[in-house]
Amino acid sequence: MDQFFVSSPFTLVASAANAACWSGRHDVRSRLERLCHSFSKRNDSSLDMIWANFGSGKSHALFYLGHVVNEQCGENVIPAFVEMPEQLQHFIDLYRRIVLNLPLKRICQMILDRLPPSRNPNLVRAASAMVHGGAFERPLAEQWLHAERPNLRELKKGTNIDARIDDPAACDVLSDMIWSMAQTGSRLLLLLDEFQRVRVLQQRARNSLLSNLRSLFSRNPNGLTVVLVVGSRVENSATELLPPELLTLVGMRPSISLPEFNESEAKEFLLGRLAFFRPPNYSGAPTAPFGADVIDKTLTFIHSKNAARLIPRTILQAFGYLYDEAAVDEKGEMKPQEVERLLAELRWDEQTAT
């Protein structure tokens, strides 16, 4: 990108590409890593929740958890990062997003190894076509598993599957996938982002979603972990989204929250973030291209704004703007007077801050 960074450290969009980056919030990092460690100690199904206000790094925490799982748990835990649909009408809408993020061929081999054909004949037929089928059979099976609408005549001819996946069957298919994984000692880790969207669903859609989630757990006491991420200002607003049957699965374990930084924590977060994106042979100052004085004064300035908060989104927005607009002197630092002028140009209202 330039002498300071190989790619932008100021991106606001969480992604798998930057999942290995974690800066600040050592207690949260420890909680996530302990959660990952628990997967190798017990095979019980579990439900956990991460909650925080918008812009606090919730989605990134999910990606980081998926990264740690891949690093520490090998192939025994299969993570699937899924964002809750905004206009979910039926459980099958969520099912489609989950399956698109699964290694289907690998799971189909588990199905063939463990699932009795009589338990879910069409799923076993689809798994057989995925593992052993050719150029005609495999795409049909994949369309079926994705709950698309393949031609029924071709589907029957190529795979012997006699019905498409409809809404009631979606929970059965996903449940039998999880059961097959559990029988091989594997676990599905469903990382479900933006779960607060449940609040705006119509009652019928919300009941369908929560009922099917309960069914997945009741049918699978082993092999399933769901981590819900909820955008909320307070914990009570997050937990009230779950019915008692699901809250029981959370039990006495505390939720994971991402509180606002103080200025010292915010500086640690920023410097850690900058360090992650430095070129491999970077030997410059850890505060470049801002300078220690500019960083301290900028964080103090943000903290002084009543409508702004010291959270990752606000910090990255402010320093990203300075990086784009401010000139850097021969020492590789920005001039405080210019920075002060640029910060005054930004909108520090509540809508921008959240």
Side-chain angles (χ1 to χ4, degrees):
M1 186 176 177
D2 61 15
Q3 62 176 316
F4 297 111
F5 307 111
V6 293
S7 61
S8 174
F10 309 109
T11 178
L12 300 177
V13 180
S15 70
N18 300 325
C21 175
W22 188 273
S23 56
R25 287 177 171 155
H26 303 288
D27 56 335
V28 177
R29 178 176 186 168
S30 176
R31 284 286 310 279
L32 293 172
E33 292 177 351
R34 279 157 41 204
L35 179 61
C36 175
H37 183 62
S38 71
F39 300 154
S40 60
K41 298 177 66 175
R42 303 197 309 177
N43 63 354
D44 313 40
S45 292
S46 60
L47 176 65
D48 288 276
M49 179 179 288
I50 299 173
W51 68 274
N53 211 333
F54 297 97
S56 298
K58 304 180 301 301
S59 298
H60 183 75
L62 273 193
F63 278 114
Y64 180 76
L65 179 58
H67 165 75
V68 174
V69 163
N70 288 331
E71 291 289 310
Q72 297 185 8
C73 300
E75 295 188 345
N76 290 332
V77 180
I78 301 174
F81 181 96
V82 178
E83 184 178 314
M84 269 283 294
E86 290 192 55
Q87 301 297 327
L88 182 142
Q89 298 294 323
H90 305 283
F91 177 75
I92 198 170
D93 299 325
L94 179 60
Y95 165 88
R96 290 189 177 105
R97 293 199 176 192
I98 295 171
V99 173
L100 282 171
N101 287 279
L102 296 179
L104 282 180
K105 191 168 183 180
R106 180 181 161 206
I107 293 172
C108 284
Q109 185 61 65
M110 298 178 186
I111 291 168
L112 294 180
D113 290 342
R114 301 300 176 116
L115 190 69
S118 59
R119 176 163 171 162
N120 197 327
N122 281 341
L123 178 57
V124 174
R125 291 164 186 154
S128 180
M130 284 289 292
V131 174
H132 303 300
F136 177 65
E137 297 85 7
R138 195 178 301 118
L140 286 170
E142 189 170 29
Q143 290 176 47
W144 184 85
L145 288 165
H146 288 166
E148 297 174 8
R149 299 189 63 80
N151 181 277
L152 282 174
R153 183 176 298 177
E154 290 186 350
L155 188 64
K156 177 72 173 177
K157 177 182 177 182
T159 65
N160 205 31
I161 295 173
D162 56 17
R164 301 186 186 104
I165 295 178
D166 57 12
D167 193 59
C171 184
D172 297 334
V173 170
L174 184 57
S175 179
D176 286 335
M177 286 184 183
I178 296 167
W179 186 89
S180 301
M181 292 183 227
Q183 298 308 301
T184 66
S186 297
R187 176 192 298 270
L188 173 63
L189 172 59
L190 178 56
L191 305 171
L192 189 51
D193 200 11
E194 305 291 358
F195 191 72
Q196 75 279 352
R197 290 174 180 170
V198 169
R199 287 194 183 99
V200 299
L201 296 180
Q202 294 181 355
Q203 186 69 37
R204 183 174 180 180
R206 183 164 59 250
N207 290 344
S208 172
L209 171 67
L210 296 175
S211 174
N212 281 288
L213 282 178
R214 288 196 300 268
S215 294
L216 289 177
F217 279 108
S218 63
R219 297 182 194 180
N220 297 282
N222 301 314
L224 172 63
T225 287
V226 178
V227 179
L228 303 175
V229 163
V230 180
S232 177
R233 288 180 179 271
V234 293
E235 184 173 11
N236 286 346
S237 295
T239 56
E240 71 183 9
L241 296 174
L242 297 176
E245 300 91 336
L246 289 175
L247 276 176
T248 299
L249 295 170
V250 177
M252 298 174 65
R253 295 191 310 279
S255 299
I256 300 173
S257 63
L258 303 174
E260 182 178 349
F261 297 125
N262 59 37
E263 289 185 40
S264 175
E265 293 167 338
K267 184 174 183 178
E268 182 183 21
F269 163 78
L270 177 65
L271 292 180
R273 180 89 175 184
L274 299 183
F276 181 84
F277 289 89
R278 299 292 191 190
N281 299 320
Y282 178 77
S283 58
T287 57
F290 304 101
D293 187 44
V294 163
I295 288 178
D296 290 341
K297 289 183 177 180
T298 300
L299 293 174
T300 299
F301 180 87
I302 296 172
H303 202 201
S304 70
K305 295 295 180 181
N306 291 333
R309 297 187 313 281
L310 281 174
I311 57 175
R313 178 178 295 177
T314 310
I315 294 166
L316 296 178
Q317 283 179 332
F319 281 94
Y321 186 69
L322 296 180
Y323 178 76
D324 291 339
E325 300 291 334
V328 177
D329 63 21
E330 64 279 0
K331 297 180 181 179
E333 297 182 353
M334 298 175 182
K335 296 180 180 179
Q337 297 86 349
E338 183 181 9
V339 166
E340 185 176 347
R341 176 183 63 80
L342 289 170
L343 290 174
E345 294 177 355
L346 294 173
R347 293 173 50 219
W348 297 101
D349 53 79
E350 181 70 16
Q351 183 177 359
T352 302
T354 58

